Amino acid sequence: MTLVDRPLIQYAIDEARAAGIKEFIFVTSRGKGALEDYFDHAHELESNLKKAGKNDLLDTLRSTNMESGAIAYIRQHKALGLGHAVWCARRLIGDEPFAVILTDDVIMGEPPCLQQMIEAYQETGGSMVATMEVAAEKTQAYGVLDVAEDMGAIVRARGMVEKPKENPPSNLAVIGRYILAPTVLGNLNKLKQGSGGEIQLTDAIADEIAEGRDVFGLRFRGQRFDCGSKAGFLQATVAFGLARDDLKDEFAEYLSDVLAVRKAAE
Ligand code: G1P
């Protein structure tokens, strides 16, 4: 899916690169071959743009190029849940802390959300999830933190529940950014089914707490868009369009015209 002029996946890569991450693993599935082609170098297109003197486009294209050997692709053969998707990458991740980005959660933030998390994680260690307050009735769409200690921007969790149907432990929802200790992969080895019959990453993180290891939530600074929903994707398009120097004036004028016409019709 394209947000303004780049696929969502590019926003995730840019955010991870800004946080200093240099190696990437995509967990994909059947029919997603275009993803590999997207990150390949487009030599023919590059030389055509060069010949045509289209240097701006050339720069944009080159900024998406990835170093050879920096990306690996792993197939998740069955859609068994987010925890299972992460587990599929276990051999590539090995025994070191790793970050997870759910690319349908797009976050506009400065510094980018994952960088904020890495800065916080350097102080806390353990595992860390991005979190934000949501309305009580919305908690059932998210992983939800049970808070042991609220230190302001950072909270220490004493539990995590995936999509609680009732009695959510707080209104702090987990958003799709994680920094995880490799022991989470060991927890995923149990492959136990959780909410919705799926293998949940939330449950494997909750197991960390049960086993006495630290899990924190960071109330990140920024705005999150759920691009997995139609309304969220439209909102992201407006917000990211208005944030672009080359588009904002024309786009803002268009939006205010649309709103004026709508208001006049009311
Ligand atoms: C996933 C996670 C959930 C998290 C959410 C954030 O759920 O399982 O814990 O709160 O992403 O977007 P999904 O939205 O894939 O159902």
PDB file of all heavy atoms in Angstrom, residues 34 37 47 79 91 98 100 126 159 164-165 168 183 189 197 226 246 265:
ATOM      1  N   ALA A  34       6.607  -9.275  -4.745  1.00  0.00           N
ATOM      2  CA  ALA A  34       6.863  -7.888  -5.155  1.00  0.00           C
ATOM      3  C   ALA A  34       7.705  -7.149  -4.125  1.00  0.00           C
ATOM      4  O   ALA A  34       8.429  -6.212  -4.455  1.00  0.00           O
ATOM      5  CB  ALA A  34       5.534  -7.156  -5.372  1.00  0.00           C
ATOM      6  N   ASP A  37      11.299  -7.589  -4.945  1.00  0.00           N
ATOM      7  CA  ASP A  37      11.659  -6.782  -6.120  1.00  0.00           C
ATOM      8  C   ASP A  37      11.764  -5.303  -5.743  1.00  0.00           C
ATOM      9  O   ASP A  37      12.630  -4.598  -6.227  1.00  0.00           O
ATOM     10  CB  ASP A  37      10.600  -6.941  -7.223  1.00  0.00           C
ATOM     11  CG  ASP A  37      10.625  -8.349  -7.794  1.00  0.00           C
ATOM     12  OD1 ASP A  37      11.674  -9.006  -7.658  1.00  0.00           O
ATOM     13  OD2 ASP A  37       9.601  -8.774  -8.343  1.00  0.00           O
ATOM     14  N   SER A  47      19.588   4.168 -14.607  1.00  0.00           N
ATOM     15  CA  SER A  47      20.367   4.745 -15.712  1.00  0.00           C
ATOM     16  C   SER A  47      19.468   5.580 -16.622  1.00  0.00           C
ATOM     17  O   SER A  47      19.896   6.596 -17.155  1.00  0.00           O
ATOM     18  CB  SER A  47      21.164   3.682 -16.463  1.00  0.00           C
ATOM     19  OG  SER A  47      20.333   2.980 -17.322  1.00  0.00           O
ATOM     20  N   ALA A  79      -0.897 -18.693   8.283  1.00  0.00           N
ATOM     21  CA  ALA A  79      -1.185 -17.478   9.054  1.00  0.00           C
ATOM     22  C   ALA A  79      -1.611 -17.870  10.469  1.00  0.00           C
ATOM     23  O   ALA A  79      -2.802 -17.915  10.791  1.00  0.00           O
ATOM     24  CB  ALA A  79      -2.274 -16.665   8.359  1.00  0.00           C
ATOM     25  N   ARG A  91      15.764 -18.385  13.708  1.00  0.00           N
ATOM     26  CA  ARG A  91      17.147 -18.800  13.410  1.00  0.00           C
ATOM     27  C   ARG A  91      17.960 -17.629  12.866  1.00  0.00           C
ATOM     28  O   ARG A  91      19.159 -17.556  13.078  1.00  0.00           O
ATOM     29  CB  ARG A  91      17.151 -19.956  12.420  1.00  0.00           C
ATOM     30  CG  ARG A  91      16.563 -21.212  13.020  1.00  0.00           C
ATOM     31  CD  ARG A  91      17.011 -22.471  12.299  1.00  0.00           C
ATOM     32  NE  ARG A  91      16.461 -23.627  12.969  1.00  0.00           N
ATOM     33  CZ  ARG A  91      15.270 -24.165  12.698  1.00  0.00           C
ATOM     34  NH1 ARG A  91      14.520 -23.665  11.740  1.00  0.00           N
ATOM     35  NH2 ARG A  91      14.824 -25.204  13.372  1.00  0.00           N
ATOM     36  N   PHE A  98      16.259  -7.867  19.581  1.00  0.00           N
ATOM     37  CA  PHE A  98      15.799  -7.501  18.228  1.00  0.00           C
ATOM     38  C   PHE A  98      14.574  -6.608  18.328  1.00  0.00           C
ATOM     39  O   PHE A  98      13.909  -6.556  19.369  1.00  0.00           O
ATOM     40  CB  PHE A  98      15.481  -8.769  17.406  1.00  0.00           C
ATOM     41  CG  PHE A  98      14.402  -9.643  18.019  1.00  0.00           C
ATOM     42  CD1 PHE A  98      13.094  -9.628  17.539  1.00  0.00           C
ATOM     43  CD2 PHE A  98      14.705 -10.488  19.087  1.00  0.00           C
ATOM     44  CE1 PHE A  98      12.108 -10.425  18.095  1.00  0.00           C
ATOM     45  CE2 PHE A  98      13.712 -11.293  19.660  1.00  0.00           C
ATOM     46  CZ  PHE A  98      12.428 -11.262  19.165  1.00  0.00           C
ATOM     47  N   VAL A 100      10.853  -5.367  16.536  1.00  0.00           N
ATOM     48  CA  VAL A 100       9.766  -5.791  15.641  1.00  0.00           C
ATOM     49  C   VAL A 100       8.958  -4.555  15.279  1.00  0.00           C
ATOM     50  O   VAL A 100       8.599  -3.760  16.157  1.00  0.00           O
ATOM     51  CB  VAL A 100       8.842  -6.822  16.326  1.00  0.00           C
ATOM     52  CG1 VAL A 100       7.668  -7.194  15.407  1.00  0.00           C
ATOM     53  CG2 VAL A 100       9.618  -8.076  16.720  1.00  0.00           C
ATOM     54  N   GLY A 126      15.935  -5.169  29.358  1.00  0.00           N
ATOM     55  CA  GLY A 126      14.721  -5.996  29.346  1.00  0.00           C
ATOM     56  C   GLY A 126      14.080  -6.026  27.973  1.00  0.00           C
ATOM     57  O   GLY A 126      14.757  -6.113  26.956  1.00  0.00           O
ATOM     58  N   GLY A 159       2.092  -7.489  33.635  1.00  0.00           N
ATOM     59  CA  GLY A 159       1.374  -8.444  32.801  1.00  0.00           C
ATOM     60  C   GLY A 159       0.987  -7.797  31.487  1.00  0.00           C
ATOM     61  O   GLY A 159       1.120  -6.573  31.315  1.00  0.00           O
ATOM     62  N   PRO A 164      -8.263  -8.152  25.485  1.00  0.00           N
ATOM     63  CA  PRO A 164      -9.141  -8.575  26.588  1.00  0.00           C
ATOM     64  C   PRO A 164     -10.618  -8.298  26.253  1.00  0.00           C
ATOM     65  O   PRO A 164     -10.955  -7.191  25.852  1.00  0.00           O
ATOM     66  CB  PRO A 164      -8.673  -7.704  27.761  1.00  0.00           C
ATOM     67  CG  PRO A 164      -7.977  -6.536  27.139  1.00  0.00           C
ATOM     68  CD  PRO A 164      -7.405  -7.020  25.843  1.00  0.00           C
ATOM     69  N   LYS A 165     -11.450  -9.317  26.408  1.00  0.00           N
ATOM     70  CA  LYS A 165     -12.883  -9.144  26.084  1.00  0.00           C
ATOM     71  C   LYS A 165     -13.567  -8.324  27.158  1.00  0.00           C
ATOM     72  O   LYS A 165     -14.537  -7.618  26.907  1.00  0.00           O
ATOM     73  CB  LYS A 165     -13.551 -10.508  25.939  1.00  0.00           C
ATOM     74  CG  LYS A 165     -13.060 -11.244  24.698  1.00  0.00           C
ATOM     75  CD  LYS A 165     -14.076 -12.310  24.263  1.00  0.00           C
ATOM     76  CE  LYS A 165     -13.675 -12.944  22.954  1.00  0.00           C
ATOM     77  NZ  LYS A 165     -12.519 -13.883  23.095  1.00  0.00           N
ATOM     78  N   PRO A 168     -10.229  -4.927  31.060  1.00  0.00           N
ATOM     79  CA  PRO A 168      -8.843  -4.663  30.644  1.00  0.00           C
ATOM     80  C   PRO A 168      -8.030  -4.177  31.839  1.00  0.00           C
ATOM     81  O   PRO A 168      -8.553  -3.424  32.667  1.00  0.00           O
ATOM     82  CB  PRO A 168      -8.991  -3.553  29.593  1.00  0.00           C
ATOM     83  CG  PRO A 168     -10.324  -2.935  29.867  1.00  0.00           C
ATOM     84  CD  PRO A 168     -11.194  -4.025  30.415  1.00  0.00           C
ATOM     85  N   THR A 183      15.095 -14.126  24.727  1.00  0.00           N
ATOM     86  CA  THR A 183      14.356 -15.146  25.480  1.00  0.00           C
ATOM     87  C   THR A 183      12.884 -15.214  25.039  1.00  0.00           C
ATOM     88  O   THR A 183      12.233 -16.241  25.228  1.00  0.00           O
ATOM     89  CB  THR A 183      14.425 -14.834  26.996  1.00  0.00           C
ATOM     90  OG1 THR A 183      14.337 -13.420  27.178  1.00  0.00           O
ATOM     91  CG2 THR A 183      15.718 -15.328  27.606  1.00  0.00           C
ATOM     92  N   ASN A 189       8.692 -20.735  21.372  1.00  0.00           N
ATOM     93  CA  ASN A 189       8.888 -22.149  21.030  1.00  0.00           C
ATOM     94  C   ASN A 189       7.752 -23.036  21.516  1.00  0.00           C
ATOM     95  O   ASN A 189       7.507 -24.107  20.975  1.00  0.00           O
ATOM     96  CB  ASN A 189      10.187 -22.672  21.655  1.00  0.00           C
ATOM     97  CG  ASN A 189      11.374 -22.387  20.755  1.00  0.00           C
ATOM     98  OD1 ASN A 189      11.217 -22.290  19.545  1.00  0.00           O
ATOM     99  ND2 ASN A 189      12.545 -22.239  21.348  1.00  0.00           N
ATOM    100  N   GLY A 197      -7.301 -17.975  18.775  1.00  0.00           N
ATOM    101  CA  GLY A 197      -6.716 -19.241  18.330  1.00  0.00           C
ATOM    102  C   GLY A 197      -5.333 -19.055  17.708  1.00  0.00           C
ATOM    103  O   GLY A 197      -4.762 -19.984  17.143  1.00  0.00           O
ATOM    104  N   ASP A 226      -3.432   3.725  12.252  1.00  0.00           N
ATOM    105  CA  ASP A 226      -3.684   2.309  11.996  1.00  0.00           C
ATOM    106  C   ASP A 226      -4.004   2.152  10.514  1.00  0.00           C
ATOM    107  O   ASP A 226      -5.169   2.257  10.112  1.00  0.00           O
ATOM    108  CB  ASP A 226      -4.851   1.832  12.873  1.00  0.00           C
ATOM    109  CG  ASP A 226      -5.259   0.409  12.521  1.00  0.00           C
ATOM    110  OD1 ASP A 226      -4.519  -0.258  11.775  1.00  0.00           O
ATOM    111  OD2 ASP A 226      -6.334  -0.026  12.990  1.00  0.00           O
ATOM    112  N   ASP A 246       6.611  19.743  -0.387  1.00  0.00           N
ATOM    113  CA  ASP A 246       6.273  19.867  -1.808  1.00  0.00           C
ATOM    114  C   ASP A 246       4.783  19.701  -2.092  1.00  0.00           C
ATOM    115  O   ASP A 246       4.339  19.907  -3.211  1.00  0.00           O
ATOM    116  CB  ASP A 246       7.084  18.847  -2.630  1.00  0.00           C
ATOM    117  CG  ASP A 246       6.874  17.415  -2.156  1.00  0.00           C
ATOM    118  OD1 ASP A 246       6.512  17.209  -0.988  1.00  0.00           O
ATOM    119  OD2 ASP A 246       7.061  16.493  -2.978  1.00  0.00           O
ATOM    120  N   ALA A 265     -23.204  22.670   2.283  1.00  0.00           N
ATOM    121  CA  ALA A 265     -24.298  21.740   1.937  1.00  0.00           C
ATOM    122  C   ALA A 265     -25.080  21.297   3.168  1.00  0.00           C
ATOM    123  O   ALA A 265     -26.161  20.717   3.052  1.00  0.00           O
ATOM    124  CB  ALA A 265     -23.708  20.541   1.223  1.00  0.00           C
TER     125      ALA A 265
END
